[in-house]
Amino acid sequence: MNEEIRNLKPKALWNKFADLNAVPRPSKKEERVIAFMKDFGKNLGLETIEDEVGNVIIRKPATQGMEDRKMVVLQSHLDMVHQKNNDTDFDFNKQGIEMYVDGDWVRAKGTTLGADNGLGVATIMAILESNDIEHPAIEALFTIDEETGMTGAKGLKGGLLKGDILLNLDTEEDDEIGVGCAGGVDVTATGTYSEIDAPKNALAHTIKVKGLNGGHSGMDIIKGLGNANKLMNRLLFATNDYMQLAKLEGGSLRNAIPRESVAQVLVTSETEFHTAFEKMKNDILTEYKSLEANLTITAQKSNNSIEKTMSAADQKNFLNAMNAAHNGVYRMSPEIEDLVETSNNIAKVSVERGNIKIECLTRSSVESSKDALANALTSTFELAGYKVNLAGDYPGWAPNMDSDILKVLDNLYQKMNGEKAHVAACHAGLECGILGQNYPGMDMISFGPTIKGAHSPDERASISSAQKYWEFVLEILKNIPKK
C-alpha cells in the first residue's frame, strides 16, 4: 500500500516519510524511532548523538563551496499524535501507519497520518542522505515528545548546538513563514464525589456525542468547532433533574479538540428526560449545522448494570463547574490581525468510581494573558472544591521582524512564487520558544508543507504542496548567509 507513496515526487522526501511511518512513534514511547534515527545517522557515517533526554543530533559537514556559510540547525520532532476512529482496529504501539493517495492528498486509513511532524523529519533525512544537494554545515536536531509536553526541547542543554540559524519545519501552510508562536500550560482539575446506590426502576441510558471534526487545539481553535466535552455537559445540564450520572469519558489528548464523549446515566423520569434531551440536542445541531456536518447526538437505553451514581449535590456541582469553565478563544491579538492570542481547550473529562478529572490546555502568546486564563480556570474549579495542578508550562516565541533568515525566506518565496508569503505568528506550541531560552542568539524561523486536519484521523498532506516546499527548502539552503 505504501509503495504508491514511495513513487510520489519528490521521491527522496516521500521515501523517507514512508520509512519513518513504518516505525511506531507515539509521544512518550519514542524508543524505537530514536533507535531508528541513530542507526540512520551512523549508517551514513555521520556524527550522531543522543542527549540525556532522548533527542537525536546528526551533524553533516558543508558541501564543497559552502564552507563559508553559517551553520544551520534543521529541526523537527520525532513523535506523532496517535488518534484513530472508534471503528478502526489499530495499535499505535505496534503498527506502522497505513497510507494511501486520495487525489492531491496523502491520508491514513482511519488514523492520524503523522505528517505532523513526519514530513519535516523526512525532509531532514533526505538532505542528510543526499550527495547532490548544496548546503552549509548542518546540525539535524530531532526532538522527542513535542506533542505531549515538549520535554525534548525543554531538556536540550545550552551549548550542545553550534548552529547560528534554526529552521523549524513544523508549520502547516506552505505560504506561511512562522516568526512566533504561543506558549502553553496544562490546567488539570481533580476531585472526588459521593456515590449513592442506584435507584430502583431507573433505566440505564448511554448518551453519545460523536462525529465532530476535532483537530489541533491551537491552530483550529479559531474555527469555533464543537468540543465534545462542552456539548455533553450541555446535554447533562439540561437533563440534570431527570437522570443520575454514573460514568463519563470525553476526549483523549490534551492538544486535540475532543471529537467524542460518552456518558452512562440512570434515567429516573423517562418522559421528562427525553423531552429535555431532544430540545437541547436539536438546539446544538442547529447551532453547529454549518460547522459540524457529521455530528450525531444520541441517548439510547442500554443493558449496562449500574450500581452506583453520583450524588445529586455533587452532580450539580460538577455540571456547574463544567458550564463555567472557559473553552475556545479567550482573546484575539490586538497587534496581529486574525491571530488568536489566548485560548483554552477542555481536552479530556473523566468521571468514574468517585473520581473526577478535567484536563485543559491553555495557550497564549502573551504570558500575562496565559496566566490570567489559567487563574480563571483555577478559580472555577477550586470554587467547585476540586484540586488544580498547573504543569508543563512552556514559553511563547516572540516575533523578530528584523531577522536575517526571515529576509532570506521572504525574498526567496516571492521570487519563486510571484507573491509574498504570509509572515505570521501562530497559535500553536512550536519548540522555538523553548529552544530560544538556552540559545538566545540563534536566528529562528518556521515553515513547512500544507497539512490539514492535524491531530485527527482526517489528517492529510498535500502532494503538490510537498513538491513546492521541497524546492523552497533546497533554495533556502543555497542562500544561507555567510559567516
Side-chain angles (χ1 to χ4, degrees):
M1 178 180 298
N2 290 345
E3 285 306 310
E4 65 175 339
I5 307 300
R6 293 185 181 278
N7 288 323
L8 297 173
K9 294 181 179 181
K11 280 193 172 185
L13 173 61
W14 289 109
N15 269 276
K16 290 305 162 197
F17 185 57
D19 290 345
L20 178 68
N21 261 2
V23 183
R25 53 192 176 97
S27 303
K28 302 292 188 187
K29 298 179 180 180
E30 296 111 327
E31 295 83 3
R32 283 160 293 191
V33 73
I34 290 170
F36 165 81
M37 196 56 64
K38 288 169 63 180
D39 288 343
F40 174 77
K42 291 176 180 177
N43 289 337
L44 292 174
L46 300 176
E47 180 186 2
T48 303
I49 301 167
E50 179 186 353
D51 75 1
E52 58 191 47
V53 297
N55 300 311
V56 178
I57 299 168
I58 302 175
R59 295 191 172 103
K60 185 180 182 183
T63 56
Q64 188 174 0
M66 299 288 286
E67 297 90 349
D68 63 343
R69 306 301 178 95
K70 292 182 177 181
M71 180 182 286
V72 170
V73 179
L74 296 176
Q75 188 264 320
S76 290
H77 62 83
L78 293 174
D79 61 315
M80 64 172 283
V81 168
H82 44 108
Q83 287 268 283
K84 66 182 183 70
N85 291 322
N86 272 354
D87 58 356
T88 299
D89 184 14
F90 190 88
D91 188 344
F92 283 98
N93 293 315
K94 297 179 180 179
Q95 295 175 249
I97 302 300
E98 298 178 14
M99 299 181 284
Y100 67 98
V101 174
D102 178 19
D104 186 48
W105 301 97
V106 173
R107 297 176 178 266
K109 293 185 66 177
T111 71
T112 38
L113 175 63
D116 172 18
N117 189 213
L119 283 179
V121 172
T123 301
I124 301 170
M125 292 174 67
I127 293 166
L128 292 174
E129 190 178 65
S130 73
N131 295 315
D132 57 356
I133 295 175
E134 293 181 64
H135 61 76
I138 286 172
E139 286 183 310
L141 171 60
F142 302 101
T143 51
I144 61 156
D145 193 35
E146 189 268 354
E147 299 290 7
T148 59
M150 299 199 183
T151 56
K154 289 177 181 177
L156 183 73
K157 289 187 174 179
L160 188 58
L161 299 178
K162 308 300 180 184
D164 304 293
I165 294 168
L166 184 140
L167 305 180
N168 169 275
L169 308 180
D170 198 15
T171 298
E172 295 171 3
E173 295 288 346
D174 67 15
D175 62 349
E176 182 173 300
I177 298 173
V179 294
C181 70
V185 61
D186 294 319
V187 181
T188 303
T190 55
T192 60
Y193 61 88
S194 298
E195 289 189 296
I196 60 174
D197 292 334
K200 295 180 180 179
N201 302 320
L203 296 173
H205 281 64
T206 300
I207 302 174
K208 293 182 179 181
V209 175
K210 298 180 64 177
L212 291 164
N213 285 303
H216 192 292
S217 68
M219 300 300 290
D220 293 325
I221 204 78
I222 194 172
K223 298 176 181 178
L225 298 170
N227 178 302
N229 291 323
K230 290 293 278 188
L231 298 186
M232 175 62 78
N233 197 73
R234 290 176 65 180
L235 295 162
L236 297 177
F237 192 87
T239 58
N240 178 61
D241 293 338
Y242 317 116
M243 64 80 194
Q244 294 178 2
L245 180 62
K247 183 179 179 180
L248 173 62
E249 285 292 335
S252 59
L253 296 173
R254 57 188 272 288
N255 54 2
I257 298 171
R259 303 168 62 243
E260 299 179 355
S261 180
V262 180
Q264 305 292 340
V265 302
L266 280 178
V267 173
T268 54
S269 182
E270 194 168 6
T271 300
E272 288 84 354
F273 170 83
H274 284 289
T275 298
F277 180 88
E278 288 298 317
K279 182 181 185 308
M280 180 54 67
K281 167 187 169 179
N282 290 330
D283 286 346
I284 291 171
L285 292 175
T286 299
E287 290 173 25
Y288 285 91
K289 64 181 179 181
S290 63
L291 287 172
E292 300 285 4
N294 297 316
L295 171 60
T296 61
I297 299 172
T298 58
Q300 297 178 337
K301 293 179 183 178
S302 69
N303 295 321
N304 293 327
S305 177
I306 297 176
E307 297 179 356
K308 298 285 185 179
T309 65
M310 187 183 290
S311 71
D314 286 335
Q315 180 169 304
K316 183 69 172 179
N317 188 56
F318 165 69
L319 298 178
N320 280 339
M322 282 291 296
N323 257 353
H326 182 84
N327 179 80
V329 175
Y330 182 73
R331 187 173 192 246
M332 297 296 292
S333 170
E335 282 85 26
I336 302 176
E337 187 177 0
D338 296 329
L339 174 67
V340 177
E341 178 190 280
T342 310
S343 74
N344 184 61
N345 178 46
I346 301 181
K348 190 174 181 179
V349 179
S350 175
V351 174
E352 187 176 12
R353 297 178 181 177
N355 293 299
I356 294 169
K357 189 173 185 180
I358 305 165
E359 299 176 57
C360 305
L361 174 53
T362 300
R363 301 178 188 262
S364 183
S365 52
V366 176
E367 287 295 300
S368 59
S369 186
K370 181 176 74 177
D371 292 343
L373 180 50
N375 289 338
L377 291 164
T378 298
S379 297
T380 297
F381 294 132
E382 287 186 346
L383 284 169
Y386 304 153
K387 180 180 178 181
V388 179
N389 180 57
L390 304 182
D393 195 356
Y394 59 91
W397 167 30
N400 174 16
M401 303 309 291
D402 293 323
S403 158
D404 288 338
I405 193 60
L406 169 60
K407 294 171 185 175
V408 170
L409 267 69
D410 199 16
N411 291 333
L412 276 177
Y413 187 93
Q414 186 168 2
K415 180 180 177 181
M416 295 176 69
N417 298 285
E419 59 183 7
K420 290 187 69 65
H422 179 49
V423 178
C426 70
H427 192 63
L430 296 174
E431 291 161 292
C432 297
I434 297 170
L435 296 171
Q437 288 186 312
N438 284 335
Y439 296 90
M442 193 175 287
D443 198 1
M444 298 186 290
I445 206 80
S446 180
F447 63 101
T450 296
I451 299 167
K452 299 293 187 183
H455 298 191
S456 82
D458 193 40
E459 183 183 4
R460 58 205 184 276
S462 167
I463 298 167
S464 58
S465 174
Q467 179 72 54
K468 172 186 174 183
Y469 150 80
W470 174 253
E471 292 170 359
F472 191 36
V473 172
L474 300 188
E475 287 300 310
I476 292 167
L477 293 176
K478 291 178 186 177
N479 287 274
I480 294 297
K482 293 184 178 181
K483 297 177 183 177

